[in-house]
Amino acid sequence: MSTTGATADPLAALGALPGVAESVESVRKAVDRVYGHRIMRRRSNEITSEAALRGARGSAALSGADWALEEVRRRTDFSGDDGARTVGAALRLTAEAGQLLSIWRQSPLRVLARLHLVAAAESDPRVGRPRQDGEPVDEPLIELPLPGAAEVSGRLEGLSELIVAGGSAPALVTAAVVHGELLALRPFGSHNGLVARAAQRIVLVGSGLDPKAICAAEVGHAELGRAAYVAALDGYVSGTPDGMAAWIAHCAKAVELGARESTAVCEALQRGAA
């Protein structure tokens, strides 16, 4: 997303695209429904924990490690093959995201660096900093042309400025742009998808749209499928109004599905308590 020569609040301008207001309203209703469930008044911590686990599973699935939920729940060692390491990284990021909410609005680039450090969990000097020209990127799902280091740096700075400045854009729009921009740029040598989805979670929670982190968009993205995810991202990268609106709508649907998943968890807990 280029911000050069744009309006004073380009994120708010995206909120005015055709169909976006409807997506924002649909998400708000879905979130309100799950927060209004009677179980949330007594057992919200359990819903949050379960949403975190399911969200991590969904994010890992989108990065190629599509494990059954019970396998994620059961395992304690994630140091084995690539799939295990991906699931472990997703779990670490979900846990870490909640610790970074207060920093995000003041220093989003610092948060992104921290997220990559947590995901990579290694001492490579390339970890936690934007890649330089010529450095490889391991992101098998995303096959878009890779922006150069100078473009990555400039667009990250522009994104950071928008977040720090705040504005009137709905949380859904901001979260979708953060998510899409990080996927398009792939600023790190690895784990960009996991980091992008963790950053989206931070925006949704920190904005107050989903303060208890119970509407895991990662669940919805995984349910919608990798092909739809990539197709929607193509719309974002196109930069056209229709493409951007389609990406935001896709992210909205993912949040709605995450809310539906937590509603189902609430219903299961309620049946168990009956």
Side-chain angles (χ1 to χ4, degrees):
M1 175 187 173
S2 173
T3 58
T4 304
T7 62
D9 190 350
L11 294 179
L14 292 177
L17 290 174
V20 171
E22 290 81 355
S23 292
V24 169
E25 180 62 19
S26 183
V27 165
R28 169 53 67 189
K29 289 179 178 178
V31 172
D32 286 348
R33 279 194 295 272
V34 66
Y35 272 86
H37 198 286
R38 58 187 296 182
I39 285 291
M40 282 295 296
R41 292 194 293 271
R42 296 182 284 114
R43 303 177 70 174
S44 64
N45 288 342
E46 291 175 67
I47 309 301
T48 296
S49 296
E50 187 64 20
L53 184 72
R54 294 177 184 224
R57 193 217 72 83
S59 191
L62 286 168
S63 287
D66 192 359
W67 286 18
L69 179 62
E70 290 311 311
E71 177 66 8
V72 179
R73 198 189 306 278
R74 180 187 68 81
R75 287 281 287 269
T76 57
D77 181 7
F78 298 96
S79 62
D81 58 17
D82 288 346
R85 288 192 290 273
T86 296
V87 174
L91 288 166
R92 291 193 299 274
L93 282 174
T94 300
E96 185 73 12
Q99 310 303 313
L100 299 172
L101 296 172
S102 62
I103 305 172
W104 175 255
R105 287 298 298 272
Q106 286 74 42
S107 185
L109 297 185
R110 179 181 164 196
V111 169
L112 293 176
R114 175 62 185 168
L115 290 174
H116 190 238
L117 281 165
V118 168
E122 55 183 286
S123 58
D124 190 310
R126 293 173 295 181
V127 170
R129 65 153 174 80
R131 58 183 170 78
Q132 299 173 2
D133 283 329
E135 292 181 346
V137 174
D138 180 15
E139 199 65 47
L141 174 63
I142 309 301
E143 298 179 352
L144 296 165
L146 199 63
E151 181 179 352
V152 169
S153 178
R155 287 171 63 174
L156 283 177
E157 286 292 341
L159 184 65
S160 176
E161 289 169 7
L162 287 175
I163 293 165
V164 171
S168 59
L172 171 69
V173 173
T174 303
V177 168
V178 168
H179 186 174
E181 194 72 352
L182 292 174
L183 286 177
L185 294 177
R186 283 146 292 160
F188 303 111
S190 64
H191 301 95
N192 289 287
L194 294 176
V195 168
R197 292 183 287 274
Q200 176 184 250
R201 170 182 284 264
I202 288 172
V203 175
L204 293 172
V205 174
S207 67
L209 176 63
D210 180 21
K212 294 184 182 294
I214 60 171
C215 302
E218 305 95 323
V219 169
H221 283 301
E223 184 173 337
L224 291 167
R226 296 173 72 180
Y229 188 66
V230 171
L233 178 62
D234 285 344
Y236 177 87
V237 172
S238 75
T240 65
D242 285 349
M244 297 291 286
W247 170 250
I248 293 168
H250 185 85
C251 291
K253 184 62 176 176
V255 177
E256 290 180 51
L257 290 171
R260 188 182 71 179
E261 182 93 350
S262 285
T263 299
V265 172
C266 288
E267 293 292 335
L269 289 174
Q270 182 168 281
R271 288 193 298 272

